[in-house]
């Protein structure tokens, strides 16, 4: 398609003047259902989960039941954030001082922080063009200290679980799935979170469904679940189980309130429709962009492995990515360069300050300083493949409200910018 109009960044008319859709999904769909559920909690005057009578009738218990059903696992534990779900999962699988945990170099900083917080050393591995963990680099980063891997289903894209699980099995690693950005996603028909030993979800506002803050942990192992329960509630060992199968150890307080659980129940009911819409929009969008030879898409984009919560495409180099993002934004489609060196985006390992400096909260260097600590080092050169990909990646937020007209506008804007700049 040849456009005769000048680019908007050069003073031409923009493709679109209507505002772009919000980056939020679940919270955009908040309505009467959530309101009714939250009001009901207030009317019951029961805002704390663990009241002595009626443990089974709390909103949080109901949310766990719904998650078990939806993910298809035997156990679930509601917690107060995705970060606390990750911390509980690491404790559950036995990660601690002296261990290394492999994580992708592109994920929210919480994935790295959770590992350090439990006293283990995060080891960075590359992502591939799917923007999820590169199974080959995962295997290359394994040492005798590696205890676990956190697989992150980044930007709604399911990681290559067949390959990752094969590597993990071969090397006897525990597998934690970080599903914070892909709640509702699947891999070969199986719900994300159910493929590894433990799955972790976030219900923070920028995730697929949202309760402001909140999290969920799922597993098929009774022992791992009990360990997570003990850690999420310092007194959990007293009353949560009919039969405790593990010795007591100290825990934190990562409990979820009844208000957040009620809100989450309302959101969870809406999730199938939200996700059906985001998936369908993305499939159509990838179809529209397939013939645009000046941009590259990963083969997994637009497939079952893509929840459709954003559009990411690659251009030839970093400078072109910067220009493309600016030009698209001027055309009325807000876009950004995934690795913008000035933005200090906390999804990219080079911006994880404490990790780069190996710094703990006390200004020392725990756990890296442990005698049995590893020789792991970090620098901007640690994951060159990841930086090379992210520097030439351009991202546009999508949600369930994207219309055919919006899809047409993205296509037109990308074609126009590609014609002049790529
Ligand atoms: C948001 C996020 C988390 C942390 O979730 P919170 O609920 O904000 O603690 C962890 N991992 C990834 C990949 C995330 O995007």
């Amino acid at each position: 398609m040849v456009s005769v109009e000048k680019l908007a960044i050069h003073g031409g008319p923009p493709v679109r003047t209507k505002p772009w859709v919000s980056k939020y999904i679940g919270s955009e769909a908040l309505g009467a259902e959530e309101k009714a559920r939250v009001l009901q909690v207030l009317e019951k005057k029961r805002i704390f989960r663990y009241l002595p009578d009626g443990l089974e009738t709390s909103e949080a218990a109901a949310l766990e039941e719904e998650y078990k059903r939806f993910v298809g696992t035997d156990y679930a534990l509601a917690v107060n954030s995705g970060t606390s779900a990750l911390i509980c999962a690491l404790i559950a699988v036995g990660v601690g001082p002296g261990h290394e945990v492999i994580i992708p170099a592109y994920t929210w900083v919480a994935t790295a922080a959770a590992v350090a917080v439990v006293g283990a050393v995060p080891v960075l591995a590359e992502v591939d063009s799917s923007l999820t963990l590169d199974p080959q680099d995962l295997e290359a980063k394994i040492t005798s200290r590696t205890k676990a891997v956190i697989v992150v289903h980044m930007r709604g894209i399911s990681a290559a679980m067949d390959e990752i699980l094969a590597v993990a099995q071969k090397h006897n690693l525990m597998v934690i799935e970080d599903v914070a950005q892909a709640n509702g996603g699947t891999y070969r028909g199986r719900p994300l979170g159910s493929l590894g030993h433990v799955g972790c979800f976030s219900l923070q506002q920028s995730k697929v469904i949202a309760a402001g803050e909140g999290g969920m942990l799922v597993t098929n192992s009774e022992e791992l679940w009990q360990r997570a329960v003990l850690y999420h509630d310092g007194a959990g060992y007293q009353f949560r189980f009919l039969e405790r199968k593990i010795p007591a150890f100290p825990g934190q307080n990562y409990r979820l309130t009844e208000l957040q659980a009620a809100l989450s129940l309302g959101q969870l009911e809406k999730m199938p429709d939200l996700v059906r819409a985001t998936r369908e929009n993305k499939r159509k969008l990838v179809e529209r962009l397939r013939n645009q030879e000046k941009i590259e898409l990963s083969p997994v984009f637009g497939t079952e492995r893509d929840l459709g919560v954003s559009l990411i495409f690659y251009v030839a180099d970093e400078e072109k990515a910067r220009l493309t993002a600016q030009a698209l934004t001027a055309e009325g489609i807000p876009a950004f360069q995934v690795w913008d060196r000035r933005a200090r985006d906390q999804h990219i390992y080079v911006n994880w300050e404490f990790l780069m400096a190996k710094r703990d909260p006390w200004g020392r260097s725990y756990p890296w300083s442990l005698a049995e600590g590893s020789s792991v080092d970090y620098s901007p050169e640690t994951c060159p493949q990841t930086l090379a990909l992210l520097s030439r990646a351009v991202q546009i937020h999508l949600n369930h409200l994207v219309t055919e007209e919006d899809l047409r506008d993205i296509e037109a804007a990308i074609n126009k910018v590609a014609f002049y700049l790529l």
Side-chain angles (χ1 to χ4, degrees), residues 80-86 106-112 150 152-155 178-182 200-207 212-215 347:
N80 60 1
S81 75
T83 306
S84 31
L86 286 171
Y106 180 48
T107 175
W108 182 240
V109 61
T111 315
I150 303 181
V152 183
H153 304 295
M154 198 57 183
R155 303 287 178 214
D178 181 341
V179 200
Q181 298 198 8
C200 298
F201 299 82
S202 166
L203 299 164
Q204 185 258 346
Q205 180 154 8
S206 53
K207 316 301 180 176
E213 299 278 10
H347 288 97

Side-chain angles (χ1 to χ4, degrees), residues 173-189:
L173 306 185
M174 298 304 286
V175 178
I176 296 170
E177 291 179 74
D178 181 341
V179 200
Q181 298 198 8
N183 199 349
T186 56
Y187 181 85
R188 294 193 198 282

